[in-house]
Amino acid sequence: MRVWVATANRDKLKEIKRILEDEIEGIRVFSTLDLDEKIHILEDGKTLEENALKKAGALFEKVREWTIADDTGLEVYALDMRPGVYSARYSGGGYRDNVEKLLEELRDKEDRRARFRTVFAVISPEGKEWLFEGICEGSIIKEPRGDGGFGYDPVFLPDGYTQTFAELNPGEKDRISHRGRALKKVVEFLRGVAQPG
């Protein structure tokens, strides 16, 4: 079974590929990076669902095979669930800039509860569409910790844990993370439709 992942983010692709290849025997995972022609997708949707479908749809038009894409947002309760759909471009800079802006906005806030939410869009070779959601509740700590993960992982402490996402080993993070939870639903779905070869 061939599955295309609509992302050029190598960190995200590594996570998705690891989970799909571990869980579905014989799956072959390709991504936007494997295309000769580059796709530029403007993620201007108002929701994670819109962006996931937009990304998956753009790649599907090129490959016409099983295609998946996700959009993920960090939703912080004291910030009215911001940055949400704008998480990746929150500061206008990179990972570190986003984290610094978040910590600055939360500096005087007592309520540091937050959640990561991921929505995966799946498109079949016939063009049918499905959506799958995963949520991980936690809180934002005051100083980054850990060298693993990416994005907001160094400041996100999942509920019930003393380690941030950036301190957990990849397997443990996959088991409890928003993306891992959404991908489990995708895996179960794809297992049900997977054909040998």
Side-chain angles (χ1 to χ4, degrees), residues 72-87:
T72 294
L74 176 67
E75 300 175 338
V76 182
Y77 290 89
L79 301 179
D80 298 319
M81 306 312 267
R82 288 187 298 109
V85 73
Y86 304 106
S87 294

Side-chain angles (χ1 to χ4, degrees), residues 6-15 32-33 95 150 179:
T7 186
N9 180 323
R10 293 180 188 277
D11 293 320
K12 183 186 287 189
L13 178 61
K14 193 193 307 183
E15 269 191 15
T32 309
L33 297 168
Y95 294 155
F150 60 98
R179 187 171 292 112

